[in-house]
Amino acid sequence: MDMQTSFLDRLFESGLLIDTGVDGLYGRSGQFEDVISGFERLIGQYGGADGAEAMRFPPGMNRALFEKSGYMKSFPQLAGTVHSFCGSELDHMSLLQCIDAGEEWTKGQEATDIVLTPAACYPLYPTVAKRGPLPNAGALFDLQSYCFRHEPSKDPARQQLFRMREYVCMGTEDHVTAFRQLWMDRGVEMMSKLGLDVVIDVANDPFFGRAGKMMVNNQRDQNLKFELLIPVTSSAKPTACMSFNYHQDSFGQKWGLALEDGSVAHTACVGFGLERIALALFAHHGLEVETWPIAVREALWA
Amino acid sequence: MDMQTSFLDRLFESGLLIDTGVDGLYGRSGQFEDVISGFERLIGQYGGADGAEAMRFPPGMNRALFEKSGYMKSFPQLAGTVHSFCGSELDHMSLLQCIDAGEEWTKGQEATDIVLTPAACYPLYPTVAKRGPLPNAGALFDLQSYCFRHEPSKDPARQQLFRMREYVCMGTEDHVTAFRQLWMDRGVEMMSKLGLDVVIDVANDPFFGRAGKMMVNNQRDQNLKFELLIPVTSSAKPTACMSFNYHQDSFGQKWGLALEDGSVAHTACVGFGLERIALALFAHHGLEVETWPIAVREALWA
């Protein structure tokens, strides 16, 4: 049994995660949730005074905006579209017969206007663009939502439905790259308070197919994405628990985000993988929160 | 313009809800979220000492368990199945051509093992059944999750993705019906603290088709479902903000929930529609939280 499976089994046995029968889809215990809310409090201690505007989007977003985002170009394999039954009573009867016979019944489901949110900030850009020009001094947003990625796995740190907390900064290149650097420094300090060993490294997204390889190279060569890595199930392959992304003006161009001076806004976002950070804490300090070092408990809950 | 649209427009203008371009799919402001978390605190003041086991499931559930639940029999029109792209690089190219041409591209999406959670308690029953027999004295669970119902609407109180908080009780008939009565009394008292006028009435679910009419009659005749109604967009048609459901032993039979004495468990659940309650507060006390009566503010945040 590999390390990932054995950690997942221990999480199930302790009740911290709840097996649903689908890899990467888990319930959480109250204790697990307390760790997440404690960590979100800690985020607030670092970022709360920055004056970000809080918005909370549901776990689904507008399909038309999702199409425009280009997500299906880069990560088609990860996306989740939401489909519903739109048929008649007769259709319904044959659907039920399919289910009763254990046959495939989902073919007749029709795509709705909703897709699952792939990252907490996706619904933000078109929302902000509709408001008109941004102040030259920039703008800052605080987001959190459940996100979906279709990548079933026995690694508890790779879930299909998980929460991402994000700060998104819009403004000039200098402004948003300084924001990104600030959170790299803060991220290291926060994890150090929690007794977690971290490394920050340049990173890339899992772009699809051969054409995607070029996007990987471009992203790495230009230092557009960094990740804060913490060992969870493996010291050799630590898990990305935060990411720090500089989009240049690509989202500004795509969504029509302009500053008051008429220039295209640059954007950057900083994301926390909340389940991954909780799992890093459980992996490092043990499954019994009561036995965690006092300094860690105080950082989360004092 | 009807009352529902006008209230929705006012919510958009105030920023409390954020238009995403899809009816029933909205972002929430930080202020809106503070009202929800304040109300959840109030729930805890009433129910916290009951010793419920907290579990938090993500907004999607295991499709096989969803099929077994019978939801597609009763409410096929409301369910949302999650589909993903599982094709080759060639398939991907034609998919992108469809999107670029503004054509239907979702036909090739394949159903995953996940469906959107229709009610917070759906993942609970199979989870508890796997643990083995329940104590004769019963068991109590505390749940909350985003839920999906495919019913696009301009009524802000009828959203496609919304949060439901639930307590679920399992035990003997006497035990679970007493639990349901307790929460009907508590619900009335809680809403009175919040300055909201309520009515409790017998209710029924929107069962699909002609066969569904019999299920409606059965549910009403046996007083299986009650709702706590509060005027939101209409005094004549107040909105169901809580529901109180007695399932008899139907879930016990379906999922194999037994007490230690060998009898089949009866179950009941009490659900809070968190967005609806927040909207009732905004409709009744105004969109500016600062101007709400002090007693209401204290009940939520003191």
Side-chain angles (χ1 to χ4, degrees), chain B residues 214-231:
Chain B
M214 280 168 53
M215 294 157 96
V216 166
N217 292 337
N218 181 53
Q219 198 179 35
R220 292 192 77 97
D221 292 348
Q222 297 197 59
N223 287 341
L224 297 182
K225 184 184 186 77
F226 288 91
E227 287 175 341
L228 181 149
L229 307 160
I230 311 179

Side-chain angles (χ1 to χ4, degrees), chain B residues 182-281:
Chain B
L182 173 68
W183 275 105
M184 283 200 241
D185 299 340
R186 284 175 173 173
V188 170
E189 194 181 314
M190 290 168 76
M191 300 309 169
S192 155
K193 271 201 175 176
L194 297 176
L196 298 171
D197 294 326
V198 310
V199 164
I200 288 194
D201 200 1
V202 65
N204 58 265
D205 288 311
F207 293 102
F208 182 78
R210 273 166 299 178
K213 295 230 161 49
M214 280 168 53
M215 294 157 96
V216 166
N217 292 337
N218 181 53
Q219 198 179 35
R220 292 192 77 97
D221 292 348
Q222 297 197 59
N223 287 341
L224 297 182
K225 184 184 186 77
F226 288 91
E227 287 175 341
L228 181 149
L229 307 160
I230 311 179
V232 178
T233 51
S234 157
S235 318
K237 286 191 173 176
T239 298
C241 292
M242 290 185 68
S243 74
F244 312 89
N245 303 279
Y246 173 41
H247 315 122
Q248 299 170 309
D249 66 356
S250 61
F251 287 7
Q253 295 276 5
K254 181 183 293 290
W255 297 109
L257 295 165
L259 304 186
E260 276 173 346
D261 66 13
S263 62
V264 176
H266 286 237
T267 62
C269 67
V270 170
F272 296 87
L274 296 177
E275 279 76 8
R276 287 182 170 184
I277 291 164
L279 290 168
L281 286 162

Side-chain angles (χ1 to χ4, degrees), chain A residues 93-105, chain B residues 67:
Chain A
M93 283 194 288
S94 59
L95 183 154
L96 293 183
Q97 280 165 3
C98 277
I99 294 182
D100 283 346
E103 290 165 10
E104 183 55 43
W105 59 272
Chain B
E67 288 166 10

Side-chain angles (χ1 to χ4, degrees), chain A residues 7-300:
Chain A
F7 186 44
L8 183 59
D9 283 342
R10 286 171 55 224
L11 290 161
F12 286 161
E13 276 158 31
S14 67
L16 287 165
L17 290 187
I18 300 161
D19 189 3
T20 70
V22 174
D23 287 342
L25 181 76
Y26 310 119
R28 290 92 166 116
S29 72
Q31 180 63 269
F32 192 94
E33 292 296 294
D34 283 347
V35 171
I36 297 232
S37 58
F39 184 76
E40 290 212 81
R41 248 188 81 259
L42 184 64
I43 296 174
Q45 282 176 14
Y46 278 81
D50 298 346
E53 177 181 347
M55 292 189 206
R56 293 291 179 268
F57 291 93
M61 68 174 288
N62 180 329
R63 176 155 68 92
L65 298 173
F66 171 83
E67 288 166 11
K68 182 173 170 182
S69 78
Y71 193 86
M72 287 306 289
K73 196 169 175 182
S74 302
F75 316 109
Q77 77 282 18
L78 298 179
T81 46
V82 177
H83 297 230
S84 280
F85 170 79
C86 305
S88 65
E89 290 199 42
L90 213 61
D91 299 326
H92 184 224
M93 283 194 288
S94 59
L95 183 154
L96 293 183
Q97 280 165 3
C98 277
I99 294 182
D100 283 346
E103 290 165 10
E104 183 55 43
W105 59 272
T106 56
K107 288 286 174 214
Q109 295 285 97
E110 293 179 27
T112 68
D113 291 335
I114 295 176
V115 300
L116 294 185
T117 308
C121 62
Y122 268 66
L124 177 70
Y125 305 103
T127 298
V128 173
K130 267 204 299 192
R131 291 180 177 179
L134 292 156
N136 291 333
L140 186 63
F141 303 93
D142 167 356
L143 306 167
Q144 197 252 53
S145 83
Y146 257 103
C147 300
F148 177 79
R149 303 217 178 141
H150 186 239
E151 43 180 357
S153 165
K154 295 276 187 205
D155 178 357
R158 188 168 296 282
Q159 299 190 13
Q160 296 198 65
L161 277 162
F162 60 95
R163 275 160 294 181
M164 191 186 294
R165 175 81 178 264
E166 279 195 64
Y167 284 106
V168 179
C169 185
M170 306 182 181
T172 62
E173 169 168 2
D174 284 354
H175 181 71
V176 308
T177 52
F179 154 85
R180 185 173 70 152
Q181 186 59 52
L182 173 67
W183 275 105
M184 282 200 241
D185 299 340
R186 283 176 173 173
V188 171
E189 194 182 316
M190 290 169 76
M191 300 309 169
S192 155
K193 271 201 175 177
L194 296 177
L196 298 172
D197 293 327
V198 311
V199 164
I200 286 194
D201 200 1
V202 64
N204 58 266
D205 288 309
F207 293 102
F208 182 79
R210 274 166 299 177
K213 294 230 160 53
M214 283 169 53
M215 295 157 96
V216 165
N217 292 337
N218 180 54
Q219 196 179 35
R220 292 191 77 96
D221 292 347
Q222 298 196 58
N223 286 342
L224 297 181
K225 185 184 187 77
F226 288 91
E227 288 174 340
L228 181 149
L229 307 161
I230 311 179
V232 177
T233 50
S234 156
S235 318
K237 286 191 174 179
T239 298
C241 292
M242 289 184 69
S243 74
F244 312 88
N245 303 279
Y246 172 41
H247 316 121
Q248 299 169 308
D249 64 356
S250 61
F251 287 6
Q253 295 277 6
K254 182 184 292 292
W255 298 109
L257 295 165
L259 305 186
E260 276 173 346
D261 66 13
S263 63
V264 176
H266 287 236
T267 61
C269 67
V270 170
F272 297 88
L274 296 177
E275 277 77 7
R276 287 182 170 184
I277 291 165
L279 290 169
L281 286 162
F282 285 113
H284 198 78
H285 299 305
L287 301 188
E288 303 276 346
V289 169
E290 298 71 29
T291 67
W292 288 5
I294 289 179
V296 173
R297 295 166 52 84
E298 284 186 349
L300 293 170

